[in-house]
Amino acid sequence: MAPADLAPPTMRDVLDARRLLAPHLDPTPARTYPALDRATRARVVVKHENLQPTGAFKVRGALNLLLRLTPEDRARGVTAFSTGNHAQAVAHAARTARAACTVVMPTDPNPTKAAAVRDLGARLVLAGTTFDDAREHATALAADDGSRLVSAANEPLLVAGVATAYVELLERAPDLDVLVVPVGGGSGAAAACLVARALAPGLEVVAVQSSASPAAHDSWRAGQPVSRPNTSRAEGLATGTGFDLTQAVLREHLDDFVLVDDDAIDRAAALYLTAARTVAEGAGAAALAAVLADPARFAGRRVGVVCSGGNASPAELRRVCAHLPR
């Protein structure tokens, strides 16, 4: 189990998060596309978290956490570490909560995400080459200046905020057979598990991560957080170790965890462009990639896939476009 101070949120916490977020975020659509159904042989429902103000689902969790900061915490400010989407989420939430914000990203970040962090008024620090390097540097900065370190996953309030997306999805599509969720740190998958078990106990929840960064997948299969090589091109999936809180939830509730390779993710992102007129970054396309990779498993089923983010860099878009039909 996770440490006591990392106890998973309850559905009461999720509903309270929904109340708090309502004035700040509109529900995102859940849509169907005949071309996706033909390509997958499933009945696919896409939850469009790529349409959030920051282009990704993580803004839900960041707002739920930062809007609850004490005046003292606001005065000290917050520090976050991220490859991009958590960074933007915390920067956006800090601006909303009127708290100073420092974000640590690896030294060669997605330029689209780095520019967005700066535009949101956060101080951007580049350190190390990976997500885990950025985490170490951010932890040291927060210890030095007394700011509130905002983890990418080990935050119950963050998970509760993210879970509001799955309440919305099940309201729109209560008849789903299976829900496929991308995983980096695991806040989205943990949130999906908590909501599914409370509102749709028969719903199968499947997590997916890149085979080039399999730490969360391998942690779940090992029954404890482990470290693994972290080389995925899909920034939102690129974590090198499992997180205690989210892994505890996944061990208890997740039905399955699969891996797909980065090329399969790019092909799924190309399909989103043509079949759903949707820009999906790598992590955002991973759930669809998992469905495409295993048609026998998903054919004929009503499948929810989470397009978790749309913050693709210019280089990523050029690579994905190479997979478009000629």
Side-chain angles (χ1 to χ4, degrees), residues 183-249:
V183 174
S187 62
C193 286
L194 292 170
V195 173
R197 292 304 169 261
L199 301 183
L203 177 61
E204 180 183 1
V205 181
V206 177
V208 56
Q209 190 172 38
S210 168
S211 57
S213 294
H217 168 275
D218 290 2
S219 295
W220 182 73
R221 296 203 175 275
Q224 61 183 356
V226 299
S227 297
R228 290 292 184 265
N230 181 17
T231 60
S232 176
R233 297 190 300 259
E235 298 135 6
L237 308 180
T239 54
T241 188
F243 286 81
D244 288 325
L245 171 61
T246 52
Q247 284 293 323
V249 175

Short mmCIF file of all heavy atoms in Angstrom, two decimals, residues 183-249:
data_model
loop_
_atom_site.label_atom_id
_atom_site.label_comp_id
_atom_site.label_asym_id
_atom_site.label_seq_id
_atom_site.Cartn_x
_atom_site.Cartn_y
_atom_site.Cartn_z
N VAL A 183 -0.45 5.83 -19.67
CA VAL A 183 0.22 5.96 -18.38
C VAL A 183 1.64 6.49 -18.55
O VAL A 183 2.42 5.98 -19.36
CB VAL A 183 0.30 4.59 -17.65
CG1 VAL A 183 1.12 4.71 -16.37
CG2 VAL A 183 -1.09 4.08 -17.33
N GLY A 184 1.94 7.53 -17.78
CA GLY A 184 3.31 7.97 -17.53
C GLY A 184 3.56 7.76 -16.05
O GLY A 184 4.06 6.74 -15.61
N GLY A 185 3.14 8.75 -15.25
CA GLY A 185 3.19 8.57 -13.80
C GLY A 185 2.03 7.73 -13.28
O GLY A 185 2.13 7.12 -12.21
N GLY A 186 0.92 7.73 -13.99
CA GLY A 186 -0.19 6.87 -13.62
C GLY A 186 -1.38 7.56 -13.00
O GLY A 186 -2.33 6.89 -12.60
N SER A 187 -1.38 8.90 -12.93
CA SER A 187 -2.51 9.58 -12.29
C SER A 187 -3.80 9.34 -13.06
O SER A 187 -4.87 9.15 -12.47
CB SER A 187 -2.24 11.08 -12.16
OG SER A 187 -2.07 11.69 -13.43
N GLY A 188 -3.73 9.33 -14.40
CA GLY A 188 -4.93 9.10 -15.19
C GLY A 188 -5.48 7.70 -15.02
O GLY A 188 -6.69 7.51 -14.85
N ALA A 189 -4.62 6.70 -15.06
CA ALA A 189 -5.08 5.32 -14.91
C ALA A 189 -5.61 5.07 -13.51
O ALA A 189 -6.62 4.38 -13.32
CB ALA A 189 -3.96 4.35 -15.24
N ALA A 190 -4.93 5.60 -12.50
CA ALA A 190 -5.42 5.45 -11.13
C ALA A 190 -6.79 6.09 -10.97
O ALA A 190 -7.70 5.52 -10.36
CB ALA A 190 -4.42 6.05 -10.14
N ALA A 191 -6.95 7.28 -11.54
CA ALA A 191 -8.23 7.97 -11.47
C ALA A 191 -9.32 7.17 -12.17
O ALA A 191 -10.44 7.04 -11.67
CB ALA A 191 -8.10 9.36 -12.09
N ALA A 192 -8.99 6.62 -13.34
CA ALA A 192 -9.97 5.82 -14.07
C ALA A 192 -10.40 4.61 -13.26
O ALA A 192 -11.59 4.25 -13.23
CB ALA A 192 -9.37 5.38 -15.41
N CYS A 193 -9.44 3.95 -12.62
CA CYS A 193 -9.77 2.79 -11.79
C CYS A 193 -10.71 3.15 -10.65
O CYS A 193 -11.69 2.45 -10.38
CB CYS A 193 -8.49 2.18 -11.23
SG CYS A 193 -7.51 1.26 -12.43
N LEU A 194 -10.43 4.24 -9.96
CA LEU A 194 -11.24 4.64 -8.82
C LEU A 194 -12.68 4.92 -9.24
O LEU A 194 -13.63 4.50 -8.59
CB LEU A 194 -10.63 5.86 -8.14
CG LEU A 194 -9.30 5.63 -7.43
CD1 LEU A 194 -8.68 6.97 -7.02
CD2 LEU A 194 -9.48 4.74 -6.20
N VAL A 195 -12.85 5.64 -10.35
CA VAL A 195 -14.19 6.00 -10.81
C VAL A 195 -14.91 4.77 -11.34
O VAL A 195 -16.10 4.56 -11.07
CB VAL A 195 -14.11 7.11 -11.86
CG1 VAL A 195 -15.49 7.37 -12.48
CG2 VAL A 195 -13.57 8.40 -11.24
N ALA A 196 -14.21 3.94 -12.10
CA ALA A 196 -14.86 2.74 -12.66
C ALA A 196 -15.35 1.83 -11.55
O ALA A 196 -16.47 1.30 -11.63
CB ALA A 196 -13.88 2.00 -13.57
N ARG A 197 -14.56 1.63 -10.54
CA ARG A 197 -14.97 0.72 -9.47
C ARG A 197 -16.17 1.26 -8.71
O ARG A 197 -17.01 0.50 -8.23
CB ARG A 197 -13.80 0.46 -8.51
CG ARG A 197 -12.67 -0.32 -9.14
CD ARG A 197 -13.14 -1.67 -9.72
NE ARG A 197 -12.11 -2.30 -10.54
CZ ARG A 197 -12.05 -2.24 -11.87
NH1 ARG A 197 -12.97 -1.55 -12.54
NH2 ARG A 197 -11.09 -2.84 -12.54
N ALA A 198 -16.28 2.59 -8.62
CA ALA A 198 -17.41 3.19 -7.90
C ALA A 198 -18.67 3.26 -8.75
O ALA A 198 -19.77 3.02 -8.25
CB ALA A 198 -17.03 4.59 -7.42
N LEU A 199 -18.53 3.58 -10.04
CA LEU A 199 -19.69 3.86 -10.88
C LEU A 199 -20.01 2.77 -11.89
O LEU A 199 -21.16 2.68 -12.35
CB LEU A 199 -19.48 5.19 -11.63
CG LEU A 199 -19.25 6.43 -10.77
CD1 LEU A 199 -19.14 7.67 -11.65
CD2 LEU A 199 -20.33 6.60 -9.72
N ALA A 200 -19.03 1.97 -12.27
CA ALA A 200 -19.25 0.94 -13.29
C ALA A 200 -18.38 -0.27 -12.96
O ALA A 200 -17.38 -0.52 -13.64
CB ALA A 200 -18.93 1.48 -14.67
N PRO A 201 -18.73 -1.02 -11.94
CA PRO A 201 -17.85 -2.10 -11.44
C PRO A 201 -17.48 -3.15 -12.47
O PRO A 201 -16.44 -3.79 -12.37
CB PRO A 201 -18.66 -2.70 -10.29
CG PRO A 201 -19.59 -1.63 -9.86
CD PRO A 201 -19.93 -0.86 -11.09
N GLY A 202 -18.30 -3.34 -13.50
CA GLY A 202 -17.98 -4.33 -14.53
C GLY A 202 -17.11 -3.81 -15.64
O GLY A 202 -16.73 -4.57 -16.55
N LEU A 203 -16.76 -2.53 -15.61
CA LEU A 203 -15.96 -1.93 -16.67
C LEU A 203 -14.50 -2.37 -16.56
O LEU A 203 -13.87 -2.21 -15.52
CB LEU A 203 -16.06 -0.41 -16.59
CG LEU A 203 -15.23 0.41 -17.58
CD1 LEU A 203 -15.62 0.11 -19.02
CD2 LEU A 203 -15.38 1.90 -17.28
N GLU A 204 -13.97 -2.91 -17.65
CA GLU A 204 -12.56 -3.32 -17.68
C GLU A 204 -11.69 -2.09 -17.93
O GLU A 204 -11.95 -1.32 -18.86
CB GLU A 204 -12.34 -4.35 -18.78
CG GLU A 204 -10.91 -4.85 -18.90
CD GLU A 204 -10.72 -5.81 -20.06
OE1 GLU A 204 -11.70 -6.08 -20.80
OE2 GLU A 204 -9.58 -6.29 -20.23
N VAL A 205 -10.66 -1.90 -17.12
CA VAL A 205 -9.73 -0.77 -17.29
C VAL A 205 -8.37 -1.33 -17.68
O VAL A 205 -7.81 -2.17 -16.96
CB VAL A 205 -9.62 0.08 -16.02
CG1 VAL A 205 -8.65 1.26 -16.25
CG2 VAL A 205 -10.99 0.60 -15.60
N VAL A 206 -7.86 -0.86 -18.82
CA VAL A 206 -6.58 -1.31 -19.35
C VAL A 206 -5.65 -0.11 -19.46
O VAL A 206 -6.03 0.92 -20.04
CB VAL A 206 -6.75 -1.97 -20.73
CG1 VAL A 206 -5.40 -2.37 -21.31
CG2 VAL A 206 -7.68 -3.18 -20.63
N ALA A 207 -4.46 -0.22 -18.91
CA ALA A 207 -3.46 0.83 -19.01
C ALA A 207 -2.50 0.52 -20.14
O ALA A 207 -2.28 -0.64 -20.50
CB ALA A 207 -2.70 0.95 -17.69
N VAL A 208 -1.87 1.57 -20.69
CA VAL A 208 -0.92 1.39 -21.78
C VAL A 208 0.24 2.36 -21.61
O VAL A 208 0.04 3.52 -21.26
CB VAL A 208 -1.59 1.56 -23.16
CG1 VAL A 208 -2.27 2.90 -23.29
CG2 VAL A 208 -0.57 1.38 -24.28
N GLN A 209 1.44 1.87 -21.86
CA GLN A 209 2.65 2.68 -21.79
C GLN A 209 3.55 2.30 -22.97
O GLN A 209 3.38 1.25 -23.59
CB GLN A 209 3.39 2.46 -20.47
CG GLN A 209 4.53 3.45 -20.20
CD GLN A 209 5.10 3.31 -18.80
OE1 GLN A 209 5.25 2.22 -18.27
NE2 GLN A 209 5.46 4.44 -18.19
N SER A 210 4.50 3.16 -23.27
CA SER A 210 5.45 2.85 -24.34
C SER A 210 6.44 1.79 -23.88
O SER A 210 6.95 1.82 -22.75
CB SER A 210 6.22 4.11 -24.73
OG SER A 210 7.32 3.79 -25.57
N SER A 211 6.75 0.85 -24.79
CA SER A 211 7.75 -0.18 -24.48
C SER A 211 9.14 0.41 -24.31
O SER A 211 10.02 -0.24 -23.74
CB SER A 211 7.77 -1.23 -25.59
OG SER A 211 8.03 -0.64 -26.85
N ALA A 212 9.35 1.65 -24.76
CA ALA A 212 10.65 2.30 -24.58
C ALA A 212 10.79 2.96 -23.21
O ALA A 212 11.89 3.37 -22.84
CB ALA A 212 10.86 3.35 -25.68
N SER A 213 9.71 3.06 -22.46
CA SER A 213 9.72 3.60 -21.09
C SER A 213 8.72 2.81 -20.26
O SER A 213 7.64 3.29 -19.93
CB SER A 213 9.36 5.09 -21.09
OG SER A 213 10.32 5.87 -21.74
N PRO A 214 9.07 1.57 -19.88
CA PRO A 214 8.09 0.66 -19.30
C PRO A 214 8.03 0.65 -17.77
O PRO A 214 7.55 -0.33 -17.18
CB PRO A 214 8.55 -0.70 -19.82
CG PRO A 214 10.05 -0.58 -19.82
CD PRO A 214 10.34 0.86 -20.20
N ALA A 215 8.50 1.70 -17.10
CA ALA A 215 8.62 1.64 -15.64
C ALA A 215 7.29 1.41 -14.94
O ALA A 215 7.20 0.59 -14.02
CB ALA A 215 9.28 2.92 -15.11
N ALA A 216 6.25 2.13 -15.34
CA ALA A 216 4.95 1.95 -14.68
C ALA A 216 4.40 0.55 -14.95
O ALA A 216 3.89 -0.11 -14.04
CB ALA A 216 3.97 3.02 -15.14
N HIS A 217 4.51 0.11 -16.19
CA HIS A 217 4.06 -1.24 -16.56
C HIS A 217 4.79 -2.30 -15.75
O HIS A 217 4.18 -3.21 -15.16
CB HIS A 217 4.29 -1.44 -18.06
CG HIS A 217 4.14 -2.85 -18.53
ND1 HIS A 217 5.18 -3.77 -18.47
CD2 HIS A 217 3.09 -3.51 -19.09
CE1 HIS A 217 4.77 -4.92 -18.95
NE2 HIS A 217 3.51 -4.79 -19.34
N ASP A 218 6.12 -2.19 -15.69
CA ASP A 218 6.90 -3.20 -14.98
C ASP A 218 6.70 -3.12 -13.47
O ASP A 218 6.74 -4.14 -12.78
CB ASP A 218 8.39 -3.05 -15.32
CG ASP A 218 8.69 -3.45 -16.77
OD1 ASP A 218 7.75 -3.80 -17.50
OD2 ASP A 218 9.87 -3.38 -17.17
N SER A 219 6.45 -1.91 -12.96
CA SER A 219 6.15 -1.75 -11.53
C SER A 219 4.86 -2.47 -11.18
O SER A 219 4.76 -3.16 -10.16
CB SER A 219 6.04 -0.26 -11.16
OG SER A 219 7.26 0.41 -11.34
N TRP A 220 3.85 -2.31 -12.04
CA TRP A 220 2.57 -2.98 -11.79
C TRP A 220 2.73 -4.50 -11.81
O TRP A 220 2.21 -5.20 -10.93
CB TRP A 220 1.55 -2.54 -12.84
CG TRP A 220 0.19 -3.13 -12.67
CD1 TRP A 220 -0.73 -2.81 -11.71
CD2 TRP A 220 -0.40 -4.16 -13.47
NE1 TRP A 220 -1.87 -3.56 -11.87
CE2 TRP A 220 -1.71 -4.40 -12.95
CE3 TRP A 220 0.02 -4.89 -14.58
CZ2 TRP A 220 -2.57 -5.35 -13.49
CZ3 TRP A 220 -0.85 -5.83 -15.13
CH2 TRP A 220 -2.12 -6.05 -14.59
N ARG A 221 3.47 -4.99 -12.76
CA ARG A 221 3.66 -6.44 -12.84
C ARG A 221 4.55 -6.97 -11.72
O ARG A 221 4.37 -8.10 -11.27
CB ARG A 221 4.22 -6.82 -14.21
CG ARG A 221 3.25 -6.49 -15.34
CD ARG A 221 3.49 -7.29 -16.59
NE ARG A 221 2.44 -7.01 -17.59
CZ ARG A 221 1.26 -7.62 -17.66
NH1 ARG A 221 0.96 -8.55 -16.77
NH2 ARG A 221 0.39 -7.31 -18.59
N ALA A 222 5.48 -6.15 -11.22
CA ALA A 222 6.37 -6.57 -10.14
C ALA A 222 5.70 -6.45 -8.77
O ALA A 222 6.17 -7.04 -7.79
CB ALA A 222 7.65 -5.74 -10.15
N GLY A 223 4.62 -5.67 -8.69
CA GLY A 223 3.95 -5.47 -7.40
C GLY A 223 4.61 -4.43 -6.53
O GLY A 223 4.25 -4.28 -5.37
N GLN A 224 5.55 -3.67 -7.08
CA GLN A 224 6.21 -2.60 -6.34
C GLN A 224 6.89 -1.66 -7.35
O GLN A 224 7.22 -2.09 -8.46
CB GLN A 224 7.25 -3.16 -5.38
CG GLN A 224 8.37 -3.93 -6.07
CD GLN A 224 9.34 -4.53 -5.08
OE1 GLN A 224 9.24 -4.34 -3.89
NE2 GLN A 224 10.31 -5.27 -5.60
N PRO A 225 7.10 -0.38 -6.97
CA PRO A 225 7.74 0.53 -7.90
C PRO A 225 9.16 0.08 -8.24
O PRO A 225 9.95 -0.27 -7.36
CB PRO A 225 7.76 1.87 -7.13
CG PRO A 225 6.61 1.76 -6.18
CD PRO A 225 6.60 0.31 -5.76
N VAL A 226 9.47 0.09 -9.54
CA VAL A 226 10.80 -0.25 -10.02
C VAL A 226 11.25 0.81 -11.01
O VAL A 226 10.44 1.58 -11.55
CB VAL A 226 10.84 -1.64 -10.69
CG1 VAL A 226 10.43 -2.73 -9.70
CG2 VAL A 226 9.93 -1.68 -11.93
N SER A 227 12.55 0.85 -11.28
CA SER A 227 13.11 1.77 -12.27
C SER A 227 13.44 1.01 -13.54
O SER A 227 13.84 -0.16 -13.50
CB SER A 227 14.38 2.43 -11.71
OG SER A 227 14.08 3.21 -10.58
N ARG A 228 13.28 1.69 -14.67
CA ARG A 228 13.55 1.09 -15.96
C ARG A 228 14.14 2.14 -16.91
O ARG A 228 14.00 3.34 -16.67
CB ARG A 228 12.25 0.53 -16.58
CG ARG A 228 11.71 -0.70 -15.88
CD ARG A 228 12.61 -1.91 -16.06
NE ARG A 228 12.07 -3.13 -15.48
CZ ARG A 228 12.35 -3.58 -14.27
NH1 ARG A 228 13.19 -2.89 -13.49
NH2 ARG A 228 11.83 -4.71 -13.84
N PRO A 229 14.78 1.71 -18.02
CA PRO A 229 15.23 2.68 -19.02
C PRO A 229 14.07 3.55 -19.49
O PRO A 229 12.92 3.11 -19.55
CB PRO A 229 15.75 1.78 -20.15
CG PRO A 229 16.14 0.51 -19.47
CD PRO A 229 15.14 0.32 -18.36
N ASN A 230 14.39 4.78 -19.86
CA ASN A 230 13.36 5.77 -20.15
C ASN A 230 13.73 6.50 -21.43
O ASN A 230 14.35 7.55 -21.41
CB ASN A 230 13.26 6.74 -18.97
CG ASN A 230 12.18 7.79 -19.16
OD1 ASN A 230 11.32 7.64 -19.99
ND2 ASN A 230 12.27 8.87 -18.39
N THR A 231 13.34 5.92 -22.58
CA THR A 231 13.78 6.49 -23.86
C THR A 231 12.63 6.75 -24.83
O THR A 231 12.88 7.02 -26.00
CB THR A 231 14.78 5.52 -24.53
OG1 THR A 231 14.16 4.25 -24.75
CG2 THR A 231 16.02 5.33 -23.66
N SER A 232 11.39 6.71 -24.38
CA SER A 232 10.27 6.92 -25.29
C SER A 232 10.27 8.33 -25.86
O SER A 232 10.57 9.31 -25.18
CB SER A 232 8.94 6.68 -24.57
OG SER A 232 7.85 6.97 -25.42
N ARG A 233 9.87 8.42 -27.13
CA ARG A 233 9.67 9.73 -27.75
C ARG A 233 8.40 10.40 -27.23
O ARG A 233 8.25 11.62 -27.35
CB ARG A 233 9.54 9.59 -29.27
CG ARG A 233 10.75 9.05 -29.99
CD ARG A 233 10.58 9.20 -31.50
NE ARG A 233 9.43 8.48 -32.02
CZ ARG A 233 9.48 7.30 -32.64
NH1 ARG A 233 10.66 6.70 -32.78
NH2 ARG A 233 8.38 6.73 -33.11
N ALA A 234 7.49 9.61 -26.70
CA ALA A 234 6.21 10.15 -26.21
C ALA A 234 6.42 10.72 -24.82
O ALA A 234 6.44 10.01 -23.82
CB ALA A 234 5.16 9.04 -26.18
N GLU A 235 6.58 12.03 -24.74
CA GLU A 235 7.00 12.67 -23.50
C GLU A 235 6.09 12.34 -22.32
O GLU A 235 6.55 12.11 -21.20
CB GLU A 235 7.04 14.19 -23.68
CG GLU A 235 8.04 14.66 -24.71
CD GLU A 235 7.45 15.72 -25.63
OE1 GLU A 235 6.31 16.17 -25.38
OE2 GLU A 235 8.14 16.10 -26.59
N GLY A 236 4.80 12.32 -22.57
CA GLY A 236 3.86 12.08 -21.48
C GLY A 236 3.90 10.68 -20.92
O GLY A 236 3.35 10.43 -19.84
N LEU A 237 4.54 9.76 -21.63
CA LEU A 237 4.68 8.38 -21.16
C LEU A 237 6.08 8.11 -20.60
O LEU A 237 6.33 7.02 -20.09
CB LEU A 237 4.42 7.40 -22.31
CG LEU A 237 3.12 7.57 -23.09
CD1 LEU A 237 3.03 6.52 -24.20
CD2 LEU A 237 1.91 7.48 -22.17
N ALA A 238 6.97 9.08 -20.71
CA ALA A 238 8.40 8.85 -20.47
C ALA A 238 8.77 9.08 -19.01
O ALA A 238 9.32 10.13 -18.64
CB ALA A 238 9.24 9.73 -21.39
N THR A 239 8.48 8.11 -18.18
CA THR A 239 8.92 8.13 -16.79
C THR A 239 9.80 6.91 -16.54
O THR A 239 9.59 5.86 -17.13
CB THR A 239 7.73 8.11 -15.81
OG1 THR A 239 6.89 7.00 -16.13
CG2 THR A 239 6.92 9.38 -15.93
N GLY A 240 10.78 7.08 -15.65
CA GLY A 240 11.76 6.01 -15.43
C GLY A 240 11.55 5.20 -14.18
O GLY A 240 12.29 4.25 -13.91
N THR A 241 10.51 5.54 -13.39
CA THR A 241 10.23 4.78 -12.17
C THR A 241 8.74 4.87 -11.85
O THR A 241 8.06 5.82 -12.27
CB THR A 241 11.05 5.32 -10.99
OG1 THR A 241 10.90 4.44 -9.87
CG2 THR A 241 10.63 6.71 -10.59
N GLY A 242 8.24 3.88 -11.13
CA GLY A 242 6.85 3.90 -10.71
C GLY A 242 6.65 4.83 -9.52
O GLY A 242 7.59 5.15 -8.79
N PHE A 243 5.41 5.28 -9.32
CA PHE A 243 5.06 6.18 -8.21
C PHE A 243 4.22 5.41 -7.19
O PHE A 243 3.30 4.67 -7.56
CB PHE A 243 4.27 7.38 -8.73
CG PHE A 243 5.09 8.39 -9.47
CD1 PHE A 243 5.43 8.20 -10.80
CD2 PHE A 243 5.54 9.55 -8.84
CE1 PHE A 243 6.19 9.13 -11.49
CE2 PHE A 243 6.29 10.48 -9.52
CZ PHE A 243 6.62 10.27 -10.85
N ASP A 244 4.51 5.62 -5.91
CA ASP A 244 3.88 4.84 -4.85
C ASP A 244 2.36 4.94 -4.87
O ASP A 244 1.67 3.91 -4.81
CB ASP A 244 4.39 5.31 -3.48
CG ASP A 244 5.83 4.90 -3.21
OD1 ASP A 244 6.21 3.80 -3.64
OD2 ASP A 244 6.56 5.68 -2.59
N LEU A 245 1.82 6.16 -4.93
CA LEU A 245 0.37 6.33 -4.81
C LEU A 245 -0.35 5.67 -5.98
O LEU A 245 -1.27 4.86 -5.78
CB LEU A 245 0.02 7.81 -4.75
CG LEU A 245 -1.48 8.15 -4.86
CD1 LEU A 245 -2.26 7.52 -3.72
CD2 LEU A 245 -1.69 9.66 -4.90
N THR A 246 0.04 6.02 -7.18
CA THR A 246 -0.70 5.49 -8.33
C THR A 246 -0.50 3.99 -8.48
O THR A 246 -1.44 3.28 -8.84
CB THR A 246 -0.29 6.23 -9.61
OG1 THR A 246 1.14 6.22 -9.74
CG2 THR A 246 -0.76 7.67 -9.56
N GLN A 247 0.69 3.51 -8.19
CA GLN A 247 0.90 2.06 -8.27
C GLN A 247 0.04 1.31 -7.26
O GLN A 247 -0.44 0.21 -7.53
CB GLN A 247 2.38 1.73 -8.08
CG GLN A 247 3.23 2.03 -9.29
CD GLN A 247 2.92 1.13 -10.47
OE1 GLN A 247 2.63 -0.05 -10.32
NE2 GLN A 247 2.97 1.69 -11.68
N ALA A 248 -0.15 1.87 -6.07
CA ALA A 248 -0.99 1.21 -5.08
C ALA A 248 -2.42 1.06 -5.59
O ALA A 248 -3.06 0.02 -5.42
CB ALA A 248 -0.98 2.00 -3.77
N VAL A 249 -2.94 2.10 -6.23
CA VAL A 249 -4.29 2.04 -6.79
C VAL A 249 -4.35 1.04 -7.94
O VAL A 249 -5.28 0.22 -8.04
CB VAL A 249 -4.75 3.43 -7.27
CG1 VAL A 249 -6.11 3.33 -7.95
CG2 VAL A 249 -4.81 4.40 -6.10
#
